[in-house]
Amino acid sequence: MFVPTLDLRALQQQPKPAAKSQKEQPYRAWEDLYRQKWQWDKVAWGSHCVDCYPGNCPYRVYVKDGIVRWEEPAATFPTIEEGVPDMNPMGCQKGACWSQLLYAPERVLHPLRRAGARGEGKWTRISWDEALTELADAIIDAIQEAGSHCVVLEGTPAQGGMMATMALSRIINYIGGIHNDVNAVINDFSPGIYLTFGKFNPASSNDDIFHTEFLITTHANPVYTMIPSHHFVAEARYKGAETVLVAPDCSPSHIHADYYVPIRVATDAALGLGMAQVIIAENLFKADFVKEQTDLPLLIRLDTRKFLRQSDLEAGGRDDHFYFFDARTGQVVEAPRGTLDVGEIDPALEGLYRVRLADGSEVEVTPAFEILKEKLRDYEPEKASAICGINPDVIRMLARKMATKTAAIFSGGTSFKYYHADLQVRAYLLVMGLTGNWGKKGTGPIEWSTGSFDGPFLFAAKSRSGVEETQQVLSIRAEMIAQLKAEDPSLTEEMAAIELAARSMPNQSMTPPVFFWYYQCGYQDNWNRREWNDPSMRRTFDEYMNEALSKGWWEGVARPTDQAPTRVYIECGGNTLRRTRGGQVQLLKHLWPKAKKIVTIDWRMNTTGLYSDLFLPAAHHYEKVTFHIPTPHLLNLTFSDRAVDPPDEALPEYEIARRLAEKITERARDRGFGEYVDANGLPRDLSSLYDAFTIGGEFVDSERVAEEWVQDTTAVGTLPKGTTLDTLRQKGYIRFTDWGLSPISLNQASDLKPDETHAAFRWHTEKKIPYPTLTRRAQFYIDHDWFLEAGEELPVHKEDPAQGGDYPFVMTSGHNRWSIHSMNIVNRIIQQTHRGRPHVVMNNDDAAARGIRDNEEVRVFNDMGYCCLPVKLSPSVRPGQVIIYNGWEPYQFREWQDAANVEPGMVKWLHLAGGYGHLRYWPLQWQPAPIDRGVRVDVKKIEADT
Ligand code: SF4
């Protein structure tokens, strides 16, 4: 604690000073101390992590005598669109006392080597040279003895921003190691959105919520998790918007909603499909939008349940050309592929037709809409109500409001984390598609996204510094895009960027972690358990995995195999033993014994650090130059400066990576080992790693790298002309002027205007530019063999399987109120605002039936494992549900056994599907991600003597 304290009693005992005139006495005793407390000799810009939705709040950081004394929200955002409130003030309670973390006892200030057994807590302080030599040798040993895929990096941009993430991955990419895709590691990937749009991340700017007339929030608790932007919801309500919270528990967000709709856990698909049924049955759907934007008018063969394709009708025809029945001419006509504009065609949505195939036979076909309509009979409001527990009249009311208003559905982070999350989200998207509620202001699915900051990605491709080299890289990219478009003239800019990303995979270390978990972490036992899976999974998980691999659906993706155990595992800021589903149960048992060197890079001792062999201390926010992950929610590049130097031996992650690169190069030369071929068959050379990392020794510190990133991003045109690092240092943040080159930001598919809020997908709805899906339309019908086999070609409701065993409670979760993940969870100031320790929230009646009183310790358990923690009683939780919010450190639990222990980390087998248009991997996209919601558990009181 560095804030001066004031002892008034001590002041009272001091002799009274002789009276002076006001002029001679500018300050007086205790007032003077108070004034001194709020003095500073330096102010810098700072910001924090990303998962606080949207994060990136620009803060002013006040420094006195080399110590950060406090911070405050800058609150300097201008108005963007006339009549729409500005973004100010962005901040939250964690940000308001972030500086306390810099001086907290859990900070690690020197490199440490484990002295006892892993997790025993015995450490030896060592020099950086010793630590990096040991790590460099471990990496070289692994490459020499087992191959470069045995070196694995996991991490998060939350700890150190872009600079930290890019630095370590630069080494891993160079040596041909494995970098686990963070979007699956943290399960922020929405398969439902990806299946429908061929991209996972439609995101509107925060202020666009102001344009909404009707907002449904589901799978989110925004008053906990969207603190900086939730005011737009309140402001929209002042303007007359109605808001709905759909949640199983009566969460704290319900008091800010006009309607609270309690739903049985994991039954959102039934609600969405019930609404869709009403919208169609009452003829409330927007037929023109459905015909133009979706695949619902495309013809389906009734004999195969597959789309009618050109290859069905013509010898040598294409598999990705599809058909309408034109109601105007009475003909089957090809759906345009290069545009969504149907021109003179009037695609029928209903009817049964006959077509003659290339082999002369005839089959019956019908629009997908007709099949959907038939399936929706199972979800008439009374039937849907029996599943989801919502009154049929409420389902009708929600449907009618969605259909008649400018409406949006914010389906939060929890919506990705259920076994059938894809079906739930697809059902909500169907409601939006039927009602024309995307691609205009105030509408749409609202999700998280990133992009626009191209500098780091251009840097990765450069072999020299400077704008000339940047232009060279840009022209090579332009040539490649032109080449792709020459191969397929119907490719849009967005599709070409995706194609480029997908084709570059053999050169990338980033990989879907599903293979790492399968081959290295023992999850295949869980994934193959039939009773923990959906009954429509007809074969074992292994059989699906083998088919996916043998058909080459994941070809070109760097991936670990069972032939080569992980030898070096580096965790940078991610705290894998806390956040990995089944963390300690799976990883300590399966991964830890394999790995010869486990390394944590972090600014604090966390649970993963406690079980590591080496701990490398990183600089904190405010102690390094970095940029936090930019998002379309904010549309600004936010700068975080080195307000103070890191204490003792802590170093910025870029500096750690640079020194590691130098040490690997040195050791490789000393050991006479440099050149090798990695598992993807690419030649590598360790002896030139340092040169490559620093681009000929020019980029030895993060300040210089940051300059280049900003310069290159400006060169692309995504920052205003003339922007430099100095501009950012003065202003703290700068609004983007365009999306840039990244496919993820192009996925927003809307013009970025300086004086308007942003709503995704306006290129699709206004310019009729196709979607990057197989059918080039928002795709609700997935005729992949596996989806047909599972009965999931259209969204349906399926019950959550009993993951973890047949137990009476369903466990849910969410970000807690007091921390972003576990970063702030032991901040002493924040801890004083709540019970300060993990707890499970449980319904009073459930607890009473088990003789459990408030704050008594219970054991939460299932077939996977257990954790012990006190109960917080609340009638807001529905009977049969328990909530353990996310973000506690395992070491805060008895025996360090935390809630992840009961999570089997199931993945849905269908998400291994590939070989089908957009169902393929590119960074952060289509891949299986583990499930942690809806796990089954039981709860038992712990008697005092146990
Ligand atoms: Fe903003 Fe996140 Fe910092 Fe809070 S923790 S002030 S939400 S950036």
Side-chain angles (χ1 to χ4, degrees), residues 46-59 71 73 90-98 225-229 622 628 819-820 823-824:
S47 190
H48 319 118
C49 49
V50 291
D51 270 2
C52 26
Y53 208 95
N56 279 283
C57 305
Y59 264 63
E71 57 273 276
M90 286 189 71
C92 78
Q93 87 280 34
K94 281 91 66 185
C97 55
W98 201 276
T225 57
M226 292 173 56
I227 294 171
S229 52
Y622 307 162
H628 294 279
S819 186
I820 305 301
M823 260 188 284
N824 320 75

Side-chain angles (χ1 to χ4, degrees), residues 154-155 180 184-187 513 516-518 520-523 526-527 569 571 574-588 591-592 607-608 821-822 864 886 888 890 898-907 929-932:
E154 204 169 290
N180 284 335
V185 168
I186 59 177
N187 197 352
F516 170 69
W517 293 320
Y518 184 89
Q520 306 293 328
C521 305
Y523 282 90
N526 299 349
W527 298 348
Y569 180 75
E571 174 60 83
N575 201 2
T576 190
L577 287 180
R578 182 199 70 77
R579 74 178 180 184
T580 305
R581 283 69 175 165
Q584 293 179 67
V585 174
Q586 293 296 139
L587 303 187
L588 289 183
L591 176 65
W592 250 242
T607 304
T608 309
H821 309 304
S822 57
M864 270 290 291
N886 167 285
W888 307 99
D898 71 323
N901 283 3
V902 298
E903 298 164 359
M906 302 299 288
V907 299
I931 292 133
D932 57 22

Side-chain angles (χ1 to χ4, degrees), residues 217 219-224 244-265 812-813 817 841-844 872-879 881-883 885:
T217 299
H219 291 297
N221 182 12
V223 302
Y224 272 26
V244 180
L245 178 74
V246 177
D249 58 308
C250 191
S251 82
S253 295
H254 88 281
I255 56 170
H256 298 286
D258 296 293
Y259 304 94
Y260 164 55
V261 177
I263 187 166
R264 192 166 70 82
V265 175
T812 64
S813 184
R817 187 178 222 150
V841 194
M842 190 174 184
N843 181 274
N844 301 53
K872 182 176 182 177
L873 293 185
S874 175
S876 65
V877 178
R878 63 171 44 230
Q881 178 190 14
V882 291
I883 305 174
Y885 284 102

Side-chain angles (χ1 to χ4, degrees), residues 3 36-40 60-64 67-72 96 99-100 622:
V3 178
Q36 282 176 18
K37 177 179 168 182
W38 300 106
Q39 286 175 351
W40 62 88
R60 302 298 277 150
V61 177
Y62 294 84
V63 178
K64 181 129 190 268
I67 303 288
V68 177
R69 299 298 176 117
W70 76 94
E71 57 273 276
E72 64 182 11
S99 51
Q100 300 294 312
Y622 307 162

Side-chain angles (χ1 to χ4, degrees), residues 645-783:
D645 288 335
D648 293 310
E649 293 187 275
L651 291 173
E653 290 88 344
Y654 184 85
E655 177 69 16
I656 295 173
R658 184 191 65 76
R659 291 190 189 194
L660 177 60
E662 190 172 25
K663 186 56 75 178
I664 293 172
T665 307
E666 179 192 312
R667 291 299 301 145
R669 286 177 183 159
D670 290 351
R671 294 171 53 164
F673 173 75
E675 295 180 13
Y676 59 96
V677 175
D678 73 10
N680 281 359
L682 297 172
R684 307 281 176 177
D685 183 3
L686 293 183
S687 64
S688 57
L689 169 60
Y690 184 71
D691 198 47
F693 184 91
T694 57
I695 308 186
E698 191 168 341
F699 294 94
V700 292
D701 66 52
S702 36
E703 177 87 6
R704 180 70 188 88
V705 176
E707 278 172 6
E708 193 82 356
W709 286 3
V710 173
Q711 165 210 279
D712 288 351
T713 310
T714 306
V716 172
T718 44
L719 288 173
K721 229 176 177 173
T723 302
T724 63
L725 186 60
D726 280 345
T727 324
L728 273 155
R729 189 158 264 140
Q730 283 161 25
K731 300 181 75 171
Y733 55 87
I734 295 187
R735 185 175 163 93
F736 289 112
T737 45
D738 208 343
W739 294 112
L741 311 171
S742 153
I744 293 179
S745 46
L746 290 173
N747 287 163
Q748 294 306 313
S750 276
D751 290 339
L752 185 52
K753 299 186 178 163
D755 53 357
E756 280 194 33
T757 66
H758 160 66
F761 293 0
R762 291 174 67 178
W763 291 346
H764 302 308
T765 56
E766 295 171 5
K767 299 182 182 176
K768 315 303 178 197
I769 293 177
Y771 298 82
T773 59
L774 172 73
T775 60
R776 302 284 178 97
R777 306 171 142 260
Q779 193 165 336
F780 294 106
Y781 195 93
I782 306 292
D783 70 341

Side-chain angles (χ1 to χ4, degrees), residues 81-93:
E81 182 173 314
E82 207 177 317
V84 176
D86 60 42
M87 298 258 188
N88 298 308
M90 286 189 71
C92 78
Q93 87 280 34

